[in-house]
Amino acid sequence: MKKIPLVFTLTMLSIFSFAQKQNITWGEEFKMKKGSTDLTVIHTDKSGVYLQEGHLAMKSYFVIGASFRESATLVKLDKSLNELYRTDFNKELKGKEFVEFFPFRDKLLIIASEYRKSEKTMELFGSEIDKNTGLTTGTWKPITSFQKEDKKSEIEFKLIPNADTTKIILVSTITGKEKNSFLVQEFDGSLKAASKPATITNEFG
C-alpha cells in the first residue's frame, strides 16, 4: 500500500482549519490501496472530506491480453480524517468510461461516457451519489451526445458550475478534418437541459 505524503496531510488540515476554524485531531494513517494511481481532494462539507483515488479497471479480456480503462474510487473521511467508506463503482461503470466526480451545490455526481464505435457517437451520462453511503441513488441519466465527423475526430468537454452555481455549464469541442464545432449548454442539478445548445462551427476551406 502507498502512504500519503506529509504535504497531503498538511493540505487536508489547512482546508479544515481555514474553512471551519476548529481543532483537528489525528486519525489513523491513511493508506492508498494497491494499484491506485493518484489521490485528489474533490470536495469538503460539514460531514467530512471526499477524495478521488484513481485506479485501473479491466475493460475487456482477450486470449492474448486485456484492455483497461481509467476508473476511480470515492473515499470519504470524517473531520478527524478517519475513513468512513470507500466505493469503487466498477460494477456501475461496466461498459462506460469514468470521467469525474462532480460536486454541485449539495449534490455529488459521478459522470461517465460511452463511445458507440459503429455510430461514431459519444454519450455522456451522470448519476447522483448518496453522500452518506457513497452509493449511487439511481440509474444513469443521459446528459448529451457528441457526433464525430470521422473516427479520427477528437472530442473534448468540461463541466463547470455557472457564476451563481444555479446551473451546470457544459463546454465541448469536436475537432475534425474539415471543421471544428464548439458547443455550450446549461443543465440543472438533475442533469436536465436548461437551455438549447449554442453551437459555433468553424469550417475549413
Side-chain angles (χ1 to χ4, degrees):
M1 294 183 179
K2 298 179 182 178
K3 295 183 179 180
I4 300 304
L6 178 62
V7 65
F8 171 77
T9 303
L10 293 176
T11 301
M12 300 285 288
L13 294 176
S14 298
I15 291 173
F16 278 118
S17 299
F18 177 77
Q20 301 182 19
K21 295 182 180 179
Q22 56 184 287
N23 293 327
I24 303 299
T25 57
W26 289 97
E28 296 181 0
E29 182 180 39
F30 181 83
K31 296 181 179 180
M32 292 175 68
K33 295 295 184 181
K34 183 178 180 181
S36 297
T37 57
D38 55 51
L39 188 69
T40 307
V41 178
I42 57 172
H43 184 57
T44 63
D45 61 20
K46 294 181 179 179
S47 66
V49 180
Y50 300 83
L51 311 177
Q52 175 180 316
E53 185 178 280
H55 65 271
L56 294 176
M58 185 175 292
K59 185 176 182 180
S60 56
Y61 177 79
F62 306 95
V63 175
I64 58 174
S67 63
F68 294 86
R69 58 175 170 79
E70 285 288 333
S71 191
T73 296
L74 177 65
V75 183
K76 183 176 181 179
L77 309 178
D78 64 16
K79 296 177 182 178
S80 298
L81 306 185
N82 293 307
E83 184 176 314
L84 297 176
Y85 59 69
R86 181 185 295 259
T87 311
D88 62 24
F89 300 101
N90 285 339
K91 181 179 179 181
E92 291 83 356
L93 286 166
K94 187 175 181 179
K96 294 180 172 60
E97 297 282 344
F98 171 78
V99 175
E100 65 175 326
F101 295 118
F102 187 78
F104 181 72
R105 298 177 72 87
D106 61 342
K107 294 183 177 182
L108 181 59
L109 309 172
I110 180 172
I111 308 297
S113 64
E114 183 175 352
Y115 182 63
R116 302 183 186 278
K117 188 175 181 180
S118 60
E119 302 171 9
K120 298 196 295 288
T121 301
M122 177 183 286
E123 294 188 78
L124 197 60
F125 299 88
S127 184
E128 185 175 351
I129 297 173
D130 186 329
K131 292 162 67 174
N132 294 316
T133 65
L135 304 176
T136 54
T137 61
T139 58
W140 291 104
K141 296 181 180 179
I143 302 175
T144 191
S145 62
F146 308 99
Q147 181 69 53
K148 283 189 172 185
E149 178 186 342
D150 54 67
K151 65 179 181 179
K152 292 185 178 181
S153 296
E154 295 184 0
I155 299 173
E156 295 184 2
F157 57 86
K158 180 71 175 178
L159 291 168
I160 56 174
N162 67 352
D164 59 2
T165 67
T166 57
K167 298 288 189 301
I168 299 172
I169 306 296
L170 171 65
V171 182
S172 63
T173 62
I174 303 176
T175 304
K177 289 182 179 180
E178 298 182 359
K179 65 180 180 180
N180 293 345
S181 296
F182 306 88
L183 180 145
V184 179
Q185 189 172 9
E186 288 185 327
F187 297 85
D188 62 20
S190 299
L191 300 176
K192 293 182 179 179
S195 67
K196 294 183 178 180
T199 304
I200 302 173
T201 301
N202 179 20
E203 297 189 14
F204 307 121

